[in-house]
Amino acid sequence: MRIHVAKLVVIAVIGAGMTSFAGAEPVKFDALVTQKEAIRLDFADASKHFFLLVLREGKSESQGALAGTAVQEYGAHDIVPGVGGEPHGYLEFTKGD
């Protein structure tokens, strides 16, 4: 599975406990991730509705600050096939240095 995020806003921390959105730049990245863990709950009706908790890991193939970083996705996906869904979660980027 490939994650493609068109815009990710990076919040700059200035001083002790103060945050500023001024100067925050959108960041584009691509990452090829594989599923490491999953918990799936299937609803017992004809809707094929299911809820999925996932942990996916991979590496960012972007340029700039996220280049070569490890990526972990922690996701919660509420899906009704053929109708729609509500994916939620967050990404964690880690760099060796």
Side-chain angles (χ1 to χ4, degrees):
M1 170 173 273
R2 181 172 293 278
I3 292 178
H4 174 76
V5 175
K7 292 185 179 180
L8 173 70
V9 177
V10 178
I11 300 172
V13 177
I14 302 173
M18 295 174 48
T19 61
S20 172
F21 289 100
E25 298 285 331
V27 175
K28 181 180 176 181
F29 74 97
D30 286 308
L32 183 60
V33 296
T34 57
Q35 189 163 291
K36 297 296 181 181
E37 294 180 42
I39 298 172
R40 180 177 169 141
L41 171 65
D42 290 293
F43 289 80
D45 60 16
S47 70
K48 299 185 182 177
H49 181 196
F50 66 93
F51 185 78
L52 184 66
L53 295 171
V54 295
L55 168 61
R56 297 180 179 131
E57 297 178 343
K59 191 166 193 162
S60 174
E61 300 169 358
S62 66
Q63 302 294 318
L66 297 178
T69 57
V71 179
Q72 287 190 310
E73 175 205 357
Y74 299 91
H77 309 285
D78 189 2
I79 308 292
V80 180
V83 176
E86 292 189 34
H88 298 280
Y90 66 93
L91 301 172
E92 178 182 86
F93 296 88
T94 334
K95 200 165 194 174
D97 58 354

